[in-house]
Amino acid sequence: MGKIVRVALWAGLAGGLMLGGALPARAGVTLDAVKQRGHVICGVNTGVAGFSLPDSKGDWKGLDIDLCKAIAAAVFLDPSKVQYVPTTAVQRFPAVQSGEVDVLTRNATQTLTREASLGLHMAGVNFYDGQGFMVSKKSGVKNIKQLNGATVCVQPGTTTELNMADYARSNHIELKPVVIERVDENISALSSGRCDAFTTDSSQLASLRVTAMPQPDDWVILPELISKEPLGPMVRNGDDQWLDIVKWTLTAMIQAEELGITQANLDEKAKSGNPEVQRFLGVTAGNGQALGLDEKWAYAIIKAVGNYGESFERNMGKGSPIKLDRGLNDLWTRGGLMYALPLR
């Protein structure tokens, strides 16, 4: 190809992009399969209140469940088009790798080795956490170093198990792991005295203390955190369009909170003359086409589950049984880490 022709082609492409002409997204393998099947399959936790847990009617609730519903709303404009597959810590990554699930919306820590060696892609953080320890109040233990020589329940195949070993080595103490796969069995072992402590993400400990312990006030969560645990959705490597859909679904929930868009005021905001709001809600076209979705994809997300703050408050916040502060999970404008990339 001659130099003049190449320059002309690049100039035409650049000119189209500068004029706002978005190139249509090519349908990826995952999106095609999801649409043909008629629903999204999400790998979720086997049961942790606040993240993913079925209620008395069998309806799944939680922060991760809301994210799964949001993905379905983005793809189908219908949050009910989902299937939940409960996965243990050991099962979760093979479920994504094998295609058993389309996306892992399960409180899983994002790490270098998981992305670089397991064939997975991280699609954002929907909860910033840290690893903690829970002990019985009658033990008198006030800090982790007092657990020297203690038995500690921990799940296999987790960053939790590795972090505990690193912490013990670095602080010259002995923590004897009792490795048990299922969360409910760890809780039983802790309650029965088989373990002196249980270690996992602090949010899970807060949830389990309230929902799984017969006498919540008999148990305390130690004040130290020994790690960073950025939790978020994961998808298979090799399908950039599906990665984009999951990533920007989560981003849309955060962006809606930044813009003050809620389930209650959604239709009123759609009439706003604010160009950013109009782009977000699909009044002005472009974002949907770029993702290969309907232009009302973000509108459908907020209609279905609300913005990130609403989801957090309903599932984890002061209005929930768990009663967590937003902390790091607040918006960046209020001292947290939640920051939406520009949707334009």
Side-chain angles (χ1 to χ4, degrees):
M1 184 183 291
K3 180 178 180 182
I4 294 175
V5 176
R6 287 198 302 270
V7 171
L9 286 173
W10 282 110
L13 175 60
L17 293 176
M18 286 189 291
L19 290 172
L23 295 175
R26 293 183 62 186
V29 173
T30 308
L31 181 60
D32 282 345
V34 167
K35 285 184 172 180
Q36 186 173 4
R37 185 193 310 127
H39 60 268
V40 180
I41 303 177
C42 294
V44 300
N45 206 313
T46 52
V48 175
F51 286 103
S52 58
L53 186 71
D55 62 17
S56 58
K57 298 178 181 179
D59 295 328
W60 285 83
K61 308 285 186 184
L63 193 75
D64 290 336
I65 299 302
D66 279 356
L67 180 55
C68 183
K69 289 179 178 178
I71 296 166
V75 173
F76 295 107
L77 306 184
D78 183 348
S80 70
K81 291 185 179 295
V82 296
Q83 177 186 344
Y84 305 111
V85 175
T87 60
T88 66
V90 171
Q91 297 166 340
R92 55 187 170 167
F93 301 132
V96 186
Q97 294 164 330
S98 67
E100 180 185 354
V101 302
D102 302 311
V103 54
L104 194 67
T105 54
R106 184 193 191 282
N107 44 333
T109 303
Q110 306 200 18
T111 70
L112 181 150
T113 51
R114 287 176 177 178
E115 182 161 77
S117 64
L118 294 184
L120 304 176
H121 262 317
M122 319 303 181
V125 177
N126 74 330
F127 196 91
Y128 290 94
D129 211 343
Q131 183 175 332
F133 290 73
M134 182 162 65
V135 299
S136 71
K137 186 178 291 185
K138 67 181 181 182
S139 71
V141 172
K142 303 296 183 185
N143 60 67
I144 300 172
K145 290 183 180 179
Q146 288 182 294
L147 289 173
N148 187 21
T151 54
V152 182
C153 280
V154 62
Q155 291 178 277
T158 61
T159 56
T160 307
E161 185 180 17
L162 301 176
N163 292 337
M164 185 175 78
D166 286 349
Y167 180 86
R169 261 196 313 273
S170 299
N171 289 275
H172 308 292
I173 63 173
E174 182 184 15
L175 297 174
K176 302 173 184 176
V178 178
V179 181
I180 303 173
E181 184 173 355
R182 294 182 59 87
V183 171
D184 56 346
E185 293 173 359
N186 276 280
I187 289 298
S188 295
L190 179 65
S191 300
S192 67
R194 182 181 170 193
C195 302
D196 299 310
F198 176 40
T199 184
T200 187
D201 298 341
S202 63
S203 60
Q204 285 197 58
L205 293 177
S207 169
L208 293 166
R209 191 182 77 85
V210 172
T211 62
M213 292 302 193
Q215 300 294 329
D217 291 341
D218 290 347
W219 303 90
V220 295
I221 300 170
L222 299 180
E224 306 109 309
L225 297 178
I226 67 169
S227 70
K228 295 182 293 185
E229 304 296 325
L231 312 178
M234 298 183 187
V235 298
R236 283 180 297 285
N237 238 332
D239 191 334
D240 289 347
Q241 187 197 22
W242 186 245
L243 171 64
D244 285 343
I245 288 171
V246 175
K247 170 185 173 180
W248 289 102
T249 292
L250 172 56
T251 302
M253 294 177 67
I254 302 168
Q255 175 76 87
E257 186 177 12
E258 289 184 356
L259 293 173
I261 300 172
T262 67
Q263 279 182 308
N265 69 17
L266 184 62
D267 291 314
E268 179 186 347
K269 287 284 189 179
K271 301 172 186 175
S272 163
N274 183 324
E276 189 173 12
V277 171
Q278 290 188 321
R279 280 195 303 272
F280 179 80
L281 295 177
V283 177
T284 302
N287 287 343
Q289 182 187 19
L291 289 170
L293 301 175
D294 190 281
E295 293 296 347
K296 295 292 185 182
W297 67 281
Y299 176 99
I301 289 170
I302 308 309
K303 192 76 172 176
V305 299
N307 65 40
Y308 178 82
E310 289 178 290
S311 179
F312 184 98
E313 178 61 22
R314 181 168 61 245
N315 295 299
M316 310 288 290
K318 297 301 183 181
S320 75
I322 301 172
K323 301 187 184 307
L324 288 182
D325 292 323
R326 285 287 294 271
L328 295 179
N329 296 293
D330 210 341
L331 293 180
W332 65 283
T333 51
R334 297 195 291 257
L337 296 178
M338 286 298 171
Y339 183 108
L341 302 174
L343 274 80
R344 62 176 308 150

